[in-house]
Structures are given as C-alpha cells and as structure tokens.
Amino acid sequence: MKKKNLIVFGTRPEAIKMAPLVKEFQIYQDIFETKVCITAQHREMLDQVLDFFEITPDYDLNLMKPNQNLYSLTADIITGLKTILEEFKPDYVYVHGDTTTTMASSIAAFYSGAKVCHVEAGLRTFNKRSPFPEEVNRSVAGSICDYHFSPTITSKSNLLRENISEESILVTGNTVIDALHFSSEKVTSKNYSDEEVVMLKNIVSTSKRLVLVTGHRRENHGQGFINICQALKEIAITNEDVEVIYPVHLNPNVQKPVYELLNDIDNVKLINPLSYPAFVWLMNQSYLIITDSGGVQEEAPSLGKPVLVMRDTTERPEAVDAGTVLLVGTDKNKIVKETQKLLDKEENYLLMSKLHNPYGNGKACGQIVNFIKAL
Ligand code: UD1
Ligand code: UDP
C-alpha cells in the first residue's frame, strides 16, 4: 500500500519552501500518494507562488479575511482541516516553519493520529514575544511533531535541548535553497519569459545603487513601521545615487504607514509584492537589502548580498556569524547609520557581501523524502 502524505501550508514563505518538497514527492508516485492542502491564510501572495511552481492544491480552505485576527484564523484552520484529515486519512502530515497555519495544522494533524513532520524545525530566539507569534508557533509545532527536519546544526541543537530524541531529527539544509535552485533553472530555461521581470527592467534605474526593502513583522506594526519609513525617507533624500525599491506586503498594517509616509519621494519606488522569480531577480540586482523577513535572511547570503535586519532578535544566527547579516532593530538612527556605513565605506561593504551558504546546498527535499521512504 502507498504511504499517504498531506502537505499543508498557507502563506507565501511556506509555499516557496514547501513547493520543492511537493515536486520531490511527485517523483515517487509509485510509493507515495501525496496531496496538497492550502489553508490560504494568504491569498494573492500564495497564489503567485503556486502559479510559478505550477502546483494545483487538492484542498483549498480559502480562509483569508481582510486584516484577520489570530484567534479566528487558528480556530478556522483546525476545524477546516478536520474534514480533510478524516476524508484523506494521511499517514504523514507535513507542516512548515512558524506561522499560524503551521501551529494550528500541527495540532489538527496530531488529533487525527497521523505522524506529523516539521520542515524548518528547531529555529529559536528563546524570546516568546519576538518574533510574535512565530516563536511560540514553532515551539508548539516542535513539541507536537514526530519528525523534525532542521536546516542547520544549530537548529538541531535547539531541539536536543528541548529533549526531542536525536533519531527523530535530520539536518537537511533549508528547502528555500532548493526553491532558489528550481527558480534559477526555470528562469534560465529557453521558453521562459516573465512579465514582472520585464516590468522591473523598465522601472529599475541602472545608474543608481538599489536598496531593496521588505517588511511585515507583527511586532513592528505601529511605531516600528513609522520608524522604518522615516529611516528609508532619510536614506533616500540624503543619497541621490540610491534608489529604494519596496514591494509592499499586502497586510493593511503595513500598507497604510508605508504608502502614507513614503509615497511622494522621487527615489523611493513602492510596488506590489512580486512573484518569486521577479523578487529573486531584484535581489540579484540590489546593492544591499533591508528587511525583517526570515526567508530573505536565508537567500541573500547565498547571493552575496549584505542584509540589514530590522529586528532585535534572529532565529537565524548562522548568517550573522558569517558576517553577511547585521541586526539593526527598528531604531531610525541605527537603520540610517548602518545603511550609510555600507553606502559610504567600500571596506564595510566588501566584508558583508561575501558569498556564504550556511543554509544548505539545495538538496534538502531529497533528504526528507529518503528519510520518510526508510521509515
Ligand atoms: C503571516 C505570518 C508570518 C509570516 C508572514 C509571511 C502569522 C501569524 N503570520 O504574516 O509568520 O512571516 O505571513 O508573509 O502566521 N493579505 C492580503 N493578501 C495576501 C496576504 C495577506 O490581503 O495574499 C492581508 C490580509 O488583509 C490579511 C493580512 O494581510 O488579513 C494579514 O495576513 P496574516 O497572514 O494574518 O499576517 P502576515 O502579516 O501576512
Ligand atoms: N518574496 C517574494 N516576493 C516579494 C517579497 C518576498 O517572492 O515581493 C519571497 C522571498 O524571496 C522569500 C519569501 O518571500 O523567499 C519571504 O517571505 P516573507 O518575508 O513574507 O515571510 P518570512 O520569510 O519573513 O516568513
């Protein structure tokens, strides 16, 4: 009998990082029956990823509501999954990372009796309010899951400290590097053309240094985003040879301050969230990246791009240790000062723009599938 897999995800980053796993399981259709369930905690930003990776979900809970709250989202995911789990009866359920979808799906999967597998397991800041609510989400998933696929040795050690048994953990690298490789192969293939990359080529200035920005963290909503926007405004006004490009996350708590505070500055371009290949293209064109994103902290070092992280904590210490990522928090002066250092001092820039690959070699999904095959 084939083993039954249910792969569950709901937001843009989970989709990017689970897409290569879906593809890998599809190679072994003789051994596994694999189905994909999306909670659609995100809608447009999730659909962009599904389109690029050509994944058609088997189940779509279609849950996203405007400016949704954590209480009803959590409840809707758990009750929505009940029917699917009872109908499909998977042997294994795969969840990713640290979103509300991750936490709620791992609980529902546990209730169903399936073995629960956590991809990107063991990341910790040890501060339950930062990132909020992700640190608690991934700890809950970690305590529920039967198998843990950790991106690095550090994330494995975090799990061992929580008394997770060593034989249930596999260090694989991060599946985001698999996604990056998939993307660059697809984008460079003969028949591929991308409308968004064409659009970007028309708007990106070739004579200015590109500062790429993304941001969305809940703990930065409110004053944090006001500080971030004021810092970006000062950087843009002080440096005429710089162009700031910011694909703005669709969360209304981000859209409002960003469009209100940055809309009328010549060398700041606010654009819609980009498809994955277009964003990777833009990362490659950039001089430096300012972000609070988790995924971007993992991708940028492998592209040799310096990253200033607008957070006080990170669960991804590997790139900080390698010297390509620097935490700057959301203090306006600190963001401006550290950006200026990179813009003005070549020796600082060169130190931070060395290529590093702390998050793997792009073969994480192959290792996960082999592990499950051997059970
Ligand atoms: C969520 C995750 C966060 C992850 C981030 C990735 C939680 C609590 N948060 O944060 O861990 O890092 O996704 O981006 O799980 N919206 C749209 N269209 C979309 C996506 C979002 O309109 O395609 C708007 C909606 O109004 C939605 C709101 O953004 O209600 C918030 O979405 P939500 O998933 O709750 O929070 P994020 O900030 O996106
Ligand atoms: N990304 C994208 N389009 C964009 C901005 C980001 O495809 O306009 C990708 C980025 O390459 C990374 C992921 O989205 O893989 C990060 O998502 P996000 O910052 O929303 O979430 P986080 O990683 O912080 O959970």
Side-chain angles (χ1 to χ4, degrees), residues 71-349:
Y71 306 88
S72 58
L73 180 62
T74 303
D76 290 349
I77 294 168
I78 296 179
T79 45
L81 276 173
K82 177 175 179 283
T83 320
I84 293 161
L85 290 162
E86 288 176 352
E87 181 192 306
F88 181 50
K89 297 188 175 54
D91 300 297
Y92 300 98
V93 175
Y94 301 79
V95 300
H96 181 278
D98 55 20
T99 68
T100 297
T101 289
T102 317
M103 184 267 296
S105 308
S106 64
I107 293 173
F110 169 67
Y111 290 163
S112 80
K115 295 282 186 204
V116 197
C117 309
H118 194 193
V119 181
E120 198 180 85
L123 278 65
R124 297 286 184 273
T125 58
F126 304 102
N127 177 344
K128 66 182 172 194
R129 305 216 175 269
S130 175
F132 175 86
E134 290 82 2
E135 177 74 0
V136 167
N137 285 345
R138 58 194 172 216
S139 304
V140 170
S143 69
I144 285 174
C145 285
D146 298 280
Y147 302 111
H148 310 261
F149 301 110
S150 287
T152 64
I153 301 283
T154 309
S155 41
K156 175 179 174 178
S157 334
N158 293 337
L159 293 174
L160 292 175
R161 251 184 280 150
E162 291 171 15
N163 294 326
I164 305 272
S165 72
E166 183 153 19
E167 55 282 11
S168 69
I169 309 171
L170 181 70
V171 176
T172 59
N174 199 304
T175 60
V176 79
I177 306 297
D178 302 34
L180 258 184
H181 288 193
F182 176 94
S183 165
S184 54
E185 268 167 42
K186 183 163 171 178
V187 168
T188 49
S189 69
K190 246 207 253 134
N191 298 325
Y192 184 80
S193 77
D194 193 294
E195 278 173 23
E196 285 194 7
V197 174
V198 174
M199 175 278 286
L200 286 172
K201 283 182 179 160
N202 286 328
I203 66 162
V204 172
S205 163
T206 46
S207 59
K208 294 189 179 189
R209 288 182 291 176
L210 166 60
V211 173
L212 176 59
V213 179
T214 77
H216 67 83
R217 300 242 81 85
R218 257 181 164 74
E219 65 274 16
N220 290 346
H221 292 175
Q223 191 57 45
F225 266 95
I226 295 174
N227 298 348
I228 289 169
C229 292
Q230 286 172 343
L232 295 173
K233 187 170 184 170
E234 187 166 328
I235 292 162
I237 290 172
T238 321
N239 300 279
E240 281 177 7
D241 68 327
V242 158
E243 181 164 69
V244 175
I245 301 203
Y246 186 167
V248 189
H249 193 290
L250 295 180
N251 191 323
N253 301 294
V254 177
Q255 292 260 319
K256 191 167 180 290
V258 170
Y259 277 95
E260 274 176 16
L261 295 167
L262 293 175
N263 210 12
D264 57 352
I265 305 163
D266 283 347
N267 53 343
V268 177
K269 292 207 163 87
L270 304 176
I271 57 176
N272 284 329
L274 291 165
S275 69
Y276 187 58
F279 187 75
V280 172
W281 182 86
L282 204 53
M283 278 196 287
N284 268 310
Q285 306 305 307
S286 67
Y287 189 74
L288 68 96
I289 301 175
I290 308 181
T291 188
D292 66 14
S293 161
V296 175
Q297 285 179 64
E298 293 154 348
E299 292 158 338
S302 73
L303 304 173
K305 301 296 173 182
V307 185
L308 299 180
V309 175
M310 299 180 291
R311 293 175 50 186
D312 299 318
T313 58
T314 183
E315 56 290 300
R316 294 166 169 91
E318 298 84 357
V320 177
D321 294 343
T324 53
V325 165
L326 181 71
L327 295 184
V328 294
T330 54
D331 177 78
K332 179 196 154 197
N333 294 333
K334 173 111 173 143
I335 298 172
V336 172
K337 188 171 138 218
E338 295 300 338
T339 305
Q340 210 58 50
K341 272 198 209 162
L342 284 170
L343 290 171
D344 294 343
K345 297 211 172 74
E346 206 184 349
E347 63 272 28
N348 288 348
Y349 185 80

Side-chain angles (χ1 to χ4, degrees), residues 11 13 41-45 64-68 70 98-100 133-134 216-218 249-252:
T11 64
Q41 174 177 336
H42 283 176
R43 188 73 268 173
E44 303 89 323
M45 287 161 57
M64 195 192 84
K65 296 195 179 80
N67 207 7
Q68 60 208 1
L70 298 176
D98 55 20
T99 68
T100 297
E134 290 82 2
H216 67 83
R217 300 242 81 85
R218 257 181 164 74
H249 193 290
L250 295 180
N251 191 323

